[in-house]
Amino acid sequence: MSLVHETDYGTPRSKSEKEVTLTIDGQEITVPEGTSIMRAAMEMGTQIPKLCATDMVDAFGSCRLCLVEIEGRPGTPASCTTPVMPGMVVKTQTDRLKKIRNGVMELYISDHPLDCLTCSANGDCELQDMAGAVGLRDVRYGYEGENHVFPKQDGVANLNWLAKDESNPYFTYDPSKCIVCSRCVRACEEVQGTFALTIAGRGFDSRVSPGMQESFLTSECVSCGACVQACPTATLNEKKVIEIGKPEHSVVTTCAYCGVGCSFKAEMRGEEVVRMVPYKDGEANRGHSCVKGRFAWGYATHKERILKPMIRAKVTDPWKEVTWEEAINYAASEFKRIQQQYGKNAVGGITSSRCTNEETYLVQKLIRAGFGNNNVDTCARVCHSPTGYGLGQTYGTSAGTQNFDSVEKSDVIMVIGANPAAAHPVFASRMKKRIREGAKLIVIDPRRTEMVKSAHIDAAYHLPLLPGTNVAIVTSLAHVVVTEKLYDEKFIRERCDWDEFQAWADFVSLPQNSPETVAKLSGVSAEAIRGAARLYATGGNGAIYYGLGVTEHSQGSTTVMAIANLAMATGNIGREGVGVNPLRGQNNVQGSCDMGSFPHELPGYRHISGDDVRHLFEKDWGVTLEKEPGLRIPNMLDAAVEGAFRGIYIQGEDILQSDPDTKHVSAGLEAMECVVVQDLFLNETARFAHVFLPGSTFLEKNGTFTNAERRIQMVRKVMAPKNGYEDWEITVMLSNALGYKMEYSHPSEIMDEIARLTPGFANVSFKMLDERGSVQWPCNDKAPEGSPIMHVNGFVRGKGKFIVTEYVATDEKTGPRFPLLLTTGRILSQYNVGAQTRRTENSMWHAEDVLEIHPHDAEQRGVRDGDWVRLQSRAGETSLRAQITDRVAPGVVYTTFHHPDTQANVITTDFSDWATNCPEYKVTAVQVSPSNGPSTWQQEYEEFSKQSRRILPEAAE
Amino acid sequence: MSHSAPDKLVYMANQIGKFFKSQGEAKTVAGVSEHIKKFWDPRMRSQIYAHIDSGGAGLEPQVKAAIEKLKNAETAAK
């Protein structure tokens, strides 16, 4: 193995289709119009010396090292900023060029330390490489003059010298090594879109400055690391590289955080990860990453990881470490006992949206074939199950319609109930880039999120609706489209059922759906609704991106259908730049749905009652399958409380923290006799577990993840599992102990089985993914190259279906006791329940959940910024600190759910989506009042947590 | 909301009913019964049938009709 080297072409690829032929160093080369001379040379294998150019950012032309000579042109133009022209004759190496370059390098090095041997970038430094490339042998100027290198000169403090900034937990900034190439500044602007960095001062005083000469940590920097990646020297360097040294081999793999699914090179030294570097060829992220994926992987080796299996008879007992055999046999015998005693349907399981497709597939197979029932569900129940239902009904597939690249062709981007800047940051960067190029933005969100207004981003419309009024708003947008005749009649007549359209058009045209009426109940002005609708319908390619702010409502599925209707009515489906795109929360939530994790359907979204499909699986698996749908997670918990459900196998999911109405979840878990938790850590759910099976991280296993754009990508093992087994191996052991034989020697065999049984995956294999990098399903004989865009020549279901979406107010209503509406969300540095990110330095940005409250509501209650407040709902109460902000409207409060000690879900209620039972996290009527600190319940919980996590020391031999 | 059957099931069924009612009177009964058949496990269905047998209190008329239809179809199939 060796490092995966990626060629730096110096400037970005030109997307022009027109070609230009020129001659470089006597060799003819043809490249797309708009390509720089530097890039054209690199494409033929000639690297022109360069420092300020790198292909992740636009050419800048400041370092004066990449000069070339062009026949018929005076001077020595910079090859990075000079585009190719037909017939151009270029020389990259002449005596004149050599002299100039040597002189430039000499000047650079005259103000740079010569500590190469002990420098953290030794061997990975472009300045070092260029000194070598131009043959620099001597620096005539000496170091006596003004410089940025030495803290003191002749015993006197050097005012040009700046100390190292080590405030960021993951990287350092050493100004003494900076050559002011501004690659970091441009990466922050062009790639990340945060604009946290600038060059302060002029000439010799020029310095890279985070914010207004702040430290990196206190500036607006979001720690995405693009600057570190762009830096050609040791100025911005990963602390891990400083600590460990240069990596020696690397493996391309897929991030295990959000649904963007960034591709990374895991750069290793032996089995130790040195750093994660986003992979340029990764089609989801195109070489970019966020603070989680690039830096927050330290949890994999965190001391709290559980590496040995454990069991206990009662949840009040301390844990006892046992052998794998003992733990597996105990779990299997308990499941068998429960089934004998209470019936076949008294057990079930939950598949993980964090595990691989192969692992998820095996868990649902174990439940259907091993347990003999369909009591299998997954975390998508609580996030995007309405997407599956809504898009399935209207279009015929349970997934987004576009690839991420599509956003580059969008003219109007509508973001509904999502904050990609926090939850899908890498895609947000791509979206922001397009907006800076001129695309218009509409944001529908109760909060003024970072998407509404940030550096160079200003939404054309922000519709700050009252939580729970999504259906009314989206239907009202349709009202404007229909009544103002802005719909695409040709598209509708060709691709949809015209009669259904007319019935729907009649419905949306009703006065109850007019912006003027909806304004009263949603709090959004009629003009804003009309303006947004007109812009979306007439502004060119319109793309809708939505998140859990759409799905996690009583009418989640209805809103998804309303969105689907709107896109069809305006013809915004079936080509690049348009579409309806759910932003998926977890890394493999799309995959876990594809793999048949829902109780009513087999892999590939086929209902369990269908005889043909069921027989196909029965034949392959050698069992008879139950043809009735099984229990969904909330139904399992209800059944447990009633005594009908007694045992559960949970792989990589923390339902006690992530699911709504914590007290109900704990009551359900408490009522069970055998709870098996397979996870990295003793998570909250494990408080009620009887068997703990230690899981493995994404760094320790082979398999595939499927991201939000249906892209199947390889996850590759870079170290042996510290717990001893990859997660799929554990499921195999459990299944075998249960008496249902599973035999696989490698996850690729599981994928072969999936491909054999699932039409959309028919042509997918590990071999194919190794060759091609990734593929978007469906990938079969009809679409051998996969399907970047769906519904291109018509909808998967045939004709697109318009569905009437009547607004029904949620029963979770405000009143005198609970006058405020709580809505929940995420922040950038933490991920989901925080089990991983809380065990990294990311907690420096977000150490606790806080309650955002409007100054007006705060003042009425005597709450000051930073005060402890009690948050009460009909379901429960908790305490946390208040943050006063006008990001939320009066009457609305907001918090995150990343920390178990806050337990935001004690507050959330049991209301759920009518179609899928997806919980209504986004609307809870609450009251806020000053408090002295954590509630009694939180204190008891903390105490119980400690008790339930006791592990008996191993008995002396 | 109560967590226990049949209250919760009645609530859920009525919620489904509200959606299908908006799809037009003619489609309501068929829509509700198909949805419940596709997504409710047998135990939940038998609980709601038992509730129907004891009067079906709280169920909207069309929802009640839909569940009765489903119940009869299942009994006939047995």
Side-chain angles (χ1 to χ4, degrees):
Chain A
M1 275 189 290
S2 60
L3 284 165
V4 175
H5 283 288
E6 293 177 277
T7 306
D8 182 355
Y9 291 93
T11 62
R13 187 170 63 89
S14 162
K15 286 176 184 161
S16 171
E17 280 168 20
K18 209 170 147 195
E19 296 203 315
V20 169
T21 301
L22 72 159
T23 308
I24 301 177
D25 294 339
Q27 206 176 317
E28 252 191 22
I29 173 147
T30 304
V31 292
E33 188 177 36
T35 302
S36 67
I37 294 175
M38 175 183 279
R39 188 175 177 110
M42 196 64 219
E43 281 184 10
M44 59 179 238
T46 298
Q47 191 191 17
I48 300 172
K50 64 177 184 64
L51 280 170
C52 74
T54 183
D55 59 12
M56 70 195 276
V57 289
D58 287 339
F60 195 58
S62 78
C63 77
R64 312 317 292 171
L65 208 59
C66 70
L67 311 180
V68 290
E69 289 187 40
I70 302 170
E71 260 184 38
R73 286 200 197 183
T76 50
S79 64
C80 63
T81 51
T82 311
V84 294
M85 299 294 266
M88 202 179 228
V89 178
V90 179
K91 285 204 172 70
T92 70
Q93 181 81 343
T94 65
D95 283 343
R96 178 158 72 143
L97 293 171
K98 280 195 277 187
K99 247 190 216 155
I100 298 173
R101 286 185 193 140
N102 203 291
V104 169
M105 272 316 289
E106 192 177 3
L107 284 165
Y108 271 116
I109 300 302
S110 73
D111 190 19
H112 191 85
L114 296 177
D115 61 349
C116 287
L117 277 182
T118 52
C119 176
S120 57
N122 187 17
D124 185 22
C125 171
E126 293 180 37
L127 190 67
Q128 198 177 43
D129 295 346
M130 289 307 114
V134 304
L136 183 71
R137 301 290 170 249
D138 189 24
V139 178
R140 291 165 295 170
Y141 307 110
Y143 287 87
E144 286 75 38
E146 261 199 289
N147 66 71
H148 301 96
V149 180
F150 303 105
K152 277 187 180 177
Q153 232 164 347
D154 304 327
V156 182
N158 174 4
L159 296 179
N160 288 321
W161 179 85
L162 289 175
K164 219 173 177 179
D165 175 358
E166 298 187 310
S167 60
N168 184 292
Y170 299 117
F171 61 85
T172 61
Y173 166 47
D174 184 351
S176 74
K177 293 193 169 164
C178 180
I179 59 168
V180 203
C181 64
S182 86
R183 269 159 67 160
C184 54
V185 176
R186 288 176 285 138
C188 189
E189 291 177 6
E190 295 175 31
V191 181
Q192 166 59 26
T194 294
F195 294 75
L197 302 180
T198 188
I199 302 288
R202 288 181 168 204
F204 199 69
D205 293 332
S206 306
R207 313 307 290 251
V208 170
S209 162
M212 304 288 280
Q213 276 146 358
E214 295 154 68
S215 74
F216 267 84
L217 192 67
T218 54
S219 74
E220 308 92 316
C221 166
V222 293
S223 196
C224 70
C227 56
V228 180
Q229 190 180 336
C231 181
T233 68
T235 310
L236 289 161
N237 213 181
E238 292 93 344
K239 284 186 176 172
K240 276 284 172 189
V241 172
I242 297 172
E243 178 200 322
I244 302 169
K246 228 177 66 161
E248 44 78 28
H249 76 270
S250 54
V251 177
V252 175
T253 189
T254 306
C255 180
Y257 281 118
C258 78
V260 175
C262 293
S263 188
F264 277 92
K265 290 184 291 182
E267 298 201 333
M268 311 291 298
R269 186 153 273 283
E271 279 199 310
E272 184 171 26
V273 181
V274 177
R275 63 179 169 192
M276 299 289 279
V277 181
Y279 187 49
K280 274 202 301 197
D281 284 347
E283 291 182 58
N285 55 318
R286 302 280 180 199
H288 190 38
S289 75
C290 77
V291 61
K292 295 187 285 275
R294 191 192 296 260
F295 293 125
W297 35 267
Y299 68 86
T301 49
H302 194 275
K303 62 181 190 315
E304 283 170 16
R305 237 187 102 180
I306 305 291
L307 303 173
K308 288 183 184 161
M310 306 187 293
I311 59 171
R312 58 184 175 186
K314 298 197 299 288
V315 298
T316 48
D317 292 345
W319 284 105
K320 191 177 127 208
E321 289 180 349
V322 294
T323 62
W324 273 101
E325 197 184 358
E326 200 177 338
I328 294 283
N329 287 340
Y330 180 75
S333 67
E334 277 295 280
F335 283 132
K336 281 197 262 190
R337 175 186 67 77
I338 291 169
Q339 285 194 301
Q340 252 164 18
Q341 210 170 328
Y342 303 101
K344 192 174 73 172
N345 296 327
V347 297
I350 299 177
T351 73
S352 177
S353 297
R354 296 179 192 162
C355 285
T356 63
N357 283 319
E358 294 71 18
E359 288 165 342
T360 301
Y361 174 86
L362 279 201
V363 172
Q364 63 90 31
K365 180 175 178 181
L366 174 144
I367 290 157
R368 297 190 202 279
F371 285 167
N373 64 42
N374 293 315
N375 294 334
V376 55
D377 208 354
T378 189
C379 101
R381 174 66 51 212
V382 301
C383 63
H384 267 294
S385 51
T387 290
Y389 181 81
L391 294 184
Q393 293 289 312
T394 47
Y395 297 168
T397 42
S398 299
T401 62
Q402 308 299 111
N403 59 0
F404 287 144
D405 284 352
S406 160
V407 78
E408 294 173 10
K409 300 273 171 68
S410 298
D411 302 309
V412 180
I413 298 168
M414 191 187 292
V415 178
I416 313 178
N419 184 9
H424 303 87
V426 171
F427 179 64
S429 290
R430 300 187 67 181
M431 198 184 253
K432 286 178 171 182
K433 187 169 191 168
R434 181 63 189 159
I435 295 165
R436 290 197 302 275
E437 288 168 357
K440 296 281 186 292
L441 175 66
I442 301 165
V443 178
I444 305 181
D445 199 296
R447 283 173 80 226
R448 196 179 68 243
T449 62
E450 295 98 311
M451 290 311 298
V452 177
K453 192 154 178 42
S454 59
H456 297 268
I457 303 293
D458 198 354
Y461 292 97
H462 174 213
L463 277 45
L465 76 179
L466 209 59
T469 58
N470 286 331
V471 171
I473 286 281
V474 182
T475 307
S476 191
L477 294 173
H479 174 95
V480 179
V481 168
V482 170
T483 55
E484 298 188 5
K485 303 226 173 338
L486 306 176
Y487 51 85
D488 184 342
E489 184 169 337
K490 185 167 170 279
F491 179 93
I492 300 163
R493 282 194 184 273
E494 272 173 27
R495 304 203 182 192
C496 309
D497 185 308
W498 183 251
D499 290 341
E500 276 170 356
F501 168 74
Q502 282 178 314
W504 173 80
D506 288 347
F507 161 75
V508 299
S509 304
L510 293 173
Q512 71 197 58
N513 296 316
S514 73
E516 290 67 26
T517 311
V518 169
K520 287 177 203 137
L521 60 99
S522 65
V524 181
S525 75
E527 301 79 72
I529 298 174
R530 286 196 183 273
R534 289 170 189 151
L535 176 59
Y536 174 72
T538 62
N541 283 341
I544 300 177
Y545 293 88
Y546 70 89
L548 304 182
V550 160
T551 54
E552 290 175 347
H553 288 275
S554 287
Q555 280 198 291
S557 293
T558 316
T559 311
V560 173
M561 294 187 270
I563 290 171
N565 290 335
L566 189 63
M568 281 192 292
T570 51
N572 278 314
I573 282 289
R575 59 178 194 277
E576 273 190 301
V578 299
V580 172
N581 304 283
L583 292 168
R584 295 276 188 166
Q586 301 208 46
N587 53 326
N588 199 37
V589 71
Q590 180 69 53
S592 71
C593 297
D594 301 342
M595 292 299 109
S597 292
F598 289 136
H600 65 279
E601 61 196 11
L602 287 159
Y605 304 97
R606 290 165 293 171
H607 201 274
I608 189 83
S609 63
D611 289 341
D612 291 349
V613 175
R614 207 175 57 254
H615 292 157
L616 179 74
F617 282 85
E618 285 177 338
K619 210 172 142 209
D620 202 272
W621 294 354
V623 288
T624 306
L625 295 172
E626 174 61 59
K627 66 175 181 192
E628 292 285 355
L631 293 163
R632 299 171 286 194
I633 296 172
N635 312 143
M636 289 182 200
L637 294 166
D638 292 343
V641 173
E642 288 163 28
F645 188 84
R646 304 268 178 162
I648 192 164
Y649 170 41
I650 305 175
Q651 183 176 76
E653 193 61 48
D654 193 359
I655 57 170
L656 186 60
Q657 195 182 336
S658 65
D659 286 30
D661 197 356
T662 307
K663 287 180 180 170
H664 181 51
V665 179
S666 59
L669 286 168
E670 215 169 349
M672 295 185 205
E673 293 174 12
C674 180
V675 174
V676 178
V677 168
Q678 183 171 326
D679 212 296
L680 301 175
F681 303 100
L682 275 174
N683 61 17
E684 297 309 301
T685 307
R687 302 197 304 133
F688 293 101
H690 305 85
V691 179
F692 187 88
L693 303 173
S696 54
T697 72
F698 76 113
L699 297 166
E700 300 165 339
K701 59 173 76 160
N702 288 305
T704 58
F705 289 155
T706 306
N707 75 355
E709 36 160 19
R710 296 169 278 104
R711 186 181 301 285
I712 309 162
Q713 303 186 101
M714 291 296 297
V715 178
R716 295 188 179 91
K717 189 171 175 172
V718 296
M719 58 176 78
K722 296 199 184 304
N723 57 323
Y725 294 101
E726 298 177 36
D727 286 288
W728 64 272
E729 295 177 289
I730 300 166
T731 305
V732 167
M733 289 192 285
L734 182 60
S735 187
N736 287 334
L738 279 164
Y740 178 70
K741 194 94 190 120
M742 284 191 189
E743 278 175 294
Y744 302 98
S745 63
H746 190 269
S748 63
E749 296 168 13
I750 306 171
M751 180 50 90
D752 293 342
E753 180 175 322
I754 295 166
R756 184 165 76 226
L757 294 169
T758 317
F761 281 68
N763 290 9
V764 180
S765 68
F766 278 30
K767 186 169 166 280
M768 178 231 227
L769 292 171
D770 281 339
E771 284 163 9
R772 295 187 24 187
S774 70
V775 70
Q776 288 174 271
W777 66 254
C779 176
N780 45 31
D781 288 344
K782 272 194 224 152
E785 298 298 310
S787 311
I789 310 278
M790 299 283 285
H791 317 295
V792 174
N793 297 315
F795 287 96
V796 169
R797 75 182 297 279
K799 291 275 186 190
K801 187 175 174 64
F802 281 95
I803 297 178
V804 168
T805 55
E806 189 171 70
Y807 169 64
V808 179
T810 170
D811 286 327
E812 178 66 12
K813 289 185 179 17
T814 51
R817 278 180 65 215
F818 303 106
L820 303 172
L821 281 180
L822 169 75
T823 185
T824 60
R826 298 167 190 236
I827 57 129
L828 171 67
S829 55
Q830 299 286 356
Y831 174 71
N832 203 274
V833 297
Q836 292 141 290
T837 44
R838 277 186 285 110
R839 290 179 173 94
T840 69
E841 302 290 345
N842 275 26
S843 289
M844 287 180 78
W845 284 276
H846 183 87
E848 58 184 319
D849 296 320
V850 295
L851 185 77
E852 289 188 3
I853 182 167
H854 189 271
H856 174 77
D857 294 324
E859 195 183 334
Q860 274 192 336
R861 290 165 176 76
V863 170
R864 287 160 306 174
D865 198 53
D867 279 358
W868 278 93
V869 290
R870 179 188 301 131
L871 179 66
Q872 282 173 292
S873 75
R874 291 179 185 93
E877 69 170 73
T878 189
S879 291
L880 70 173
R881 286 180 201 275
Q883 186 179 66
I884 298 179
T885 170
D886 63 0
R887 265 197 299 273
V888 288
V892 177
V893 291
Y894 166 88
T895 190
T896 48
F897 64 106
H898 300 303
H899 291 270
D901 32 1
T902 321
Q903 287 289 324
N905 281 323
V906 172
I907 304 299
T908 53
T909 68
D910 196 32
F911 289 113
S912 65
D913 175 45
W914 66 267
T916 65
N917 275 165
C918 177
E920 186 163 56
Y921 290 104
K922 301 293 182 184
V923 192
T924 311
V926 293
Q927 179 58 295
V928 174
S929 50
S931 115
N932 293 325
S935 66
T936 328
W937 191 84
Q938 277 166 294
Q939 286 164 13
E940 283 168 15
Y941 186 91
E942 173 71 24
E943 180 50 32
F944 180 39
S945 286
K946 274 190 203 142
Q947 287 293 320
S948 73
R949 291 201 168 100
R950 284 171 302 154
I951 300 173
L952 275 188
E954 259 182 289
E957 292 292 320
Chain B
M1 193 200 334
S2 165
H3 290 300
S4 54
D7 295 5
K8 187 166 175 181
L9 296 179
V10 166
Y11 183 87
M12 283 164 57
N14 284 339
Q15 233 186 326
I16 297 166
K18 270 184 201 152
F19 174 80
F20 285 103
K21 209 169 162 185
S22 70
Q23 304 306 302
E25 293 289 321
K27 292 183 193 161
T28 314
V29 170
V32 173
S33 63
E34 195 201 331
H35 193 87
I36 290 180
K37 184 173 154 53
K38 270 173 99 170
F39 297 103
W40 286 25
D41 90 302
R43 203 185 68 94
M44 288 162 70
R45 295 205 307 263
S46 61
Q47 281 178 333
I48 200 82
Y49 298 157
H51 181 68
I52 291 261
D53 290 342
S54 57
L59 286 169
E60 294 292 327
Q62 281 170 313
V63 175
K64 197 172 160 191
I67 295 168
E68 273 164 354
K69 185 184 153 203
L70 193 58
K71 181 174 175 248
N72 293 337
E74 256 184 64
T75 324
K78 272 177 193 165

